[in-house]
Amino acid sequence: DFEVLDPERLEDLPWNEDCLTAYVDAATFGEVALLHKSSQTLVVTDSLISIPEDPPELLMDAQYSKALAYHARDDATSVLQDSPETRRKGWARIALFTTFFNPGGLADGEVWIPEASATRPWQWQANW
């Protein structure tokens, strides 16, 4: 059996005597972290990840680095610029979007992508 956890009622959980429970609001979904009191064991799922600041070496290939530069742009009119800072910005956006699939960072709109010779039905929200 399972039930949907009510973050307002964590103190009513059956393991409350043995574990401290924290609800982590991750925008489009929620996670629960448990700390087993006697063993001091922290139990987390999905919400504990490590994404490096710099993109993986594989993405430094000319074809892939264009994707990093593309996703670093703030709007469709921005010029593609290739630099370590731009690659990190593009990598951060791609990693966050794919890891948490947060569609709140996207806005509807037909965007022409010259590198793909195609349009896509979205663009990044301002200041995302």
Side-chain angles (χ1 to χ4, degrees):
D1 287 345
F2 76 92
E3 65 180 83
V4 175
L5 187 82
D6 181 355
E8 302 296 321
R9 301 185 64 219
L10 296 179
E11 68 279 352
D12 296 338
L13 295 170
W15 58 80
N16 194 44
E17 241 180 75
D18 299 315
C19 297
L20 297 173
T21 306
Y23 178 78
V24 180
D25 183 357
T28 57
F29 62 93
E31 290 287 343
V32 173
L34 304 171
L35 178 65
H36 187 250
K37 294 174 186 177
S38 63
S39 69
Q40 294 294 292
T41 301
L42 179 64
V43 179
V44 293
T45 61
D46 298 337
S47 59
L48 183 65
I49 60 172
S50 175
I51 298 174
E53 184 177 343
D54 291 316
E57 192 62 36
L58 169 70
L59 298 181
M60 295 301 99
D61 178 89
Q63 179 181 2
Y64 296 119
S65 65
K66 281 184 184 178
L68 296 176
Y70 174 79
H71 288 289
R73 299 181 317 159
D74 292 322
D75 60 54
T77 62
S78 296
V79 176
L80 288 179
Q81 297 179 356
D82 187 25
S83 70
E85 181 182 325
T86 301
R87 290 178 181 190
R88 280 192 294 276
K89 183 177 180 180
W91 166 244
R93 285 180 169 178
I94 291 169
L96 282 172
F97 181 72
T98 58
T99 303
F100 292 103
F101 193 69
N102 185 356
L106 299 177
D108 291 337
E110 287 293 318
V111 178
W112 174 254
I113 302 173
E115 299 79 17
S117 297
T119 59
R120 297 292 182 260
W122 56 268
Q123 61 187 4
W124 293 108
Q125 295 263 14
N127 301 318
W128 189 80

